[in-house]
């Protein structure tokens, strides 16, 4: 089998050290990262992992302006749920597929999808993703049967229902259990932690007690800062969370925000007191670890899921700090190639 190579400045390893050279790919795996002189302006980095998505509401982008979080997304009669019930299955599948295609084109290798609609919703998502090179971890919702049809269970929040039965069934099945917590206020964080989840989502209102519990339990957290701004619930304590656990970035509901990891990184980097490298890890390897995917870094032995940016684009030319430029400045227009295993 012949090797595929990518040349330019490589953001190598967990520290994203910029090195000039080439990435060698064989059989869908990175087999070498070689330092060498090249004539390429490309920037080679790991493709993104979007750690929290709700793709189903792609049918209603920018609906519900001015509504509260509860009015927008609370089950069973929040705007999102009413719109989903009103749409045909074909409409939902097509809308999801277009969002997933955008994610692929903008450099997303994998996502963690909280999938509404029970078993039917899981099957609709699978139809939408069929044939696309994105690698989703689908978290069924609402029923144990949805979990059994999916990769795990994604709970809405401990104040919405008692999820003990679903948690126990998920544990017996050996699948991951994720749950929203601390999005509107702190009241559901301890009950969520009591369920011993595999990961939490949001944690906007985490207090010191909760942060200590997260650290003691080593529970990772997916944060969605743009969504939290749109729904006016606050801003997650990203720096404090990073001191205690693995933190990954997600884009949340498509009807509220585009599933662009470039936009999510820029927003997080400019509002949180964390480094550009921290944010890039949140957008790549940290999400990969939550999703149990062997991607998120450019190093030998990792799956070859790579994003290549044009370092000589009008937007990126002249960048003095490439990691900072990728995180705070780069966008979809700078993408020159997306290579996902199997391409």
């Amino acid at each position: 089998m012949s090797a595929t190579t990518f040349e330019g400045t490589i953001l190598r390893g967990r520290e994203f050290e910029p090195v000039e050279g080439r990435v060698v790919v064989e059989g869908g795996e990175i087999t070498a990262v070689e330092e060498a002189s090249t004539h390429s302006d490309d920037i080679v980095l790991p493709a993104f992992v979007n750690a929290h998505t709700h793709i189903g509401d792609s049918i209603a982008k920018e609906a519900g302006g001015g509504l509260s979080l509860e009015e927008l997304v609370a089950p069973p009669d929040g705007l999102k749920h009413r719109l989903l019930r009103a749409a045909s299955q074909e409409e939902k599948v097509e809308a999801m597929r277009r969002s997933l295609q955008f994610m692929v084109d903008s450099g997303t290798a994998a996502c963690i999808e909280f999938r509404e609609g029970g078993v039917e919703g899981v099957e609709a998502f699978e139809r939408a993703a069929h044939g696309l090179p994105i690698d989703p971890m689908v978290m069924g919702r609402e029923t144990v049967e949805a979990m059994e049809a999916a990769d795990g269970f994604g709970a809405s929040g401990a104040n919405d229902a008692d999820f003990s039965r679903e948690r126990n069934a998920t544990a017996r099945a050996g699948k991951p259990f994720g749950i929203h917590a601390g999005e509107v206020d702190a009241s559901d964080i301890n009950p969520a932690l009591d369920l011993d989840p595999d990961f939490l989502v949001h944690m906007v209102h985490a207090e010191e007690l909760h942060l200590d519990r997260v650290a003691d339990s080593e529970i990772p957290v997916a944060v969605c800062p743009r969504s939290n701004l749109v729904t006016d619930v606050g801003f997650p304590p990203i720096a404090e969370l990073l001191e205690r656990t693995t933190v990954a970035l997600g884009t949340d509901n498509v009807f509220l925000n585009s599933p662009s990891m470039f936009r999510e990184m820029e927003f997080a980097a400019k509002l949180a007191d964390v480094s550009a490298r921290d944010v890039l890890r949140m957008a790549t390897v940290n999400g990969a670890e939550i999703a149990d995917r062997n991607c998120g870094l450019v190093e030998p032995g990792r799956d070859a899921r790579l994003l290549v940016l044009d370092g000589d684009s009008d937007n990126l030319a002249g960048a003095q700090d490439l990691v900072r430029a990728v995180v705070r400045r780069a966008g979809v227009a700078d993408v020159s190639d997306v290579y996902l295993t199997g391409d």
Side-chain angles (χ1 to χ4, degrees):
M1 184 177 295
S2 61
T4 301
T5 61
F6 298 88
E7 295 188 346
T9 300
I10 303 156
L11 301 187
R12 182 175 64 184
R14 192 171 289 269
E15 294 302 314
F16 306 111
E17 175 192 5
V19 297
E20 185 179 8
R22 63 180 63 90
V23 180
V24 182
V25 174
E26 296 179 82
E29 180 181 294
I30 298 171
T31 56
V33 179
E34 303 171 346
E35 293 190 42
S37 296
T38 72
H39 299 287
S40 174
D41 294 309
D42 284 346
I43 304 166
V44 184
L45 63 147
F48 303 125
V49 178
N50 191 332
H52 188 62
T53 61
H54 292 274
I55 301 296
D57 50 32
S58 298
I59 58 168
K61 300 182 183 82
E62 302 308 318
L67 298 181
S68 69
L69 177 63
E70 183 174 358
E71 291 169 326
L72 285 168
V73 302
D77 293 318
L79 176 63
K80 177 182 78 170
H81 299 281
R82 299 199 309 273
L83 292 171
L84 288 172
R85 286 196 294 270
S88 71
Q89 196 74 323
E90 290 306 314
E91 289 172 327
K92 287 183 281 193
V93 168
E94 175 60 20
M96 286 191 287
R97 185 171 184 83
R98 297 191 70 168
S99 289
L100 289 165
Q101 185 66 64
F102 171 82
M103 292 167 69
V104 168
D105 294 342
S106 57
T108 295
C111 66
I112 302 175
E113 164 70 7
F114 275 41
R115 185 80 287 276
E116 296 87 359
V119 172
E120 186 179 20
V122 172
E123 292 173 346
F125 184 91
E126 291 172 346
R127 286 173 57 199
H130 181 72
L132 295 177
I134 197 166
D135 182 17
M137 182 170 82
V138 183
M139 308 293 282
R141 304 185 70 185
E142 300 161 13
T143 66
V144 169
E145 290 74 22
M147 176 274 293
E148 292 170 342
D151 300 307
F153 190 87
S156 58
N159 287 344
D160 294 335
D162 179 1
F163 288 104
S164 299
R165 175 174 175 269
E166 290 81 1
R167 179 64 185 106
N168 292 335
T170 305
R172 287 194 299 271
K175 295 182 177 184
F177 178 91
I179 186 168
H180 296 74
E183 186 174 9
V184 177
D185 57 42
S187 64
D188 62 353
I189 299 178
N190 278 330
L193 287 166
D194 290 343
L195 291 168
D196 190 27
D198 293 286
F199 64 95
L200 300 163
V201 182
H202 293 305
M203 292 292 279
V204 175
H205 296 280
E207 299 168 0
E208 198 67 26
L209 168 65
H210 309 125
L211 295 171
D212 289 343
R213 288 192 67 184
V214 164
D216 290 342
S217 303
E218 299 181 339
I219 298 174
V221 177
V223 296
C224 308
R226 283 190 302 151
S227 173
N228 300 150
L229 173 71
V230 170
T231 56
D232 196 29
V233 297
F235 190 82
I238 293 174
E240 291 82 358
L241 287 165
L242 277 170
E243 291 175 356
R244 293 164 171 87
T245 192
T246 299
V247 181
L249 274 182
T251 59
D252 209 2
N253 297 82
V254 173
F255 86 135
L256 299 177
N257 291 292
S258 74
S260 167
M261 293 298 284
F262 288 113
R263 290 190 175 188
E264 205 68 42
M265 286 196 303
E266 179 183 8
F267 191 84
K270 291 181 176 179
L271 289 182
D273 185 20
V274 297
S275 72
R277 281 176 168 78
D278 283 331
V279 174
L280 190 51
R281 278 188 287 268
M282 290 165 61
T284 55
V285 64
N286 290 2
E289 289 176 353
I290 294 175
D292 193 26
R293 299 301 192 258
N294 186 38
C295 59
L297 293 177
V298 182
E299 61 182 17
R302 295 278 176 168
D303 291 344
R305 304 179 78 77
L306 302 171
L307 171 60
V308 183
L309 303 179
D310 178 6
D312 193 42
S313 69
D314 291 338
N315 183 39
L316 295 178
Q320 300 297 299
D321 182 327
L322 283 185
V323 175
R324 186 176 170 91
V326 167
V327 168
R328 299 168 67 97
R329 178 178 298 270
V332 177
D334 301 306
V335 174
S336 64
D337 194 9
V338 179
Y339 182 89
L340 304 179
T341 303
D343 280 8

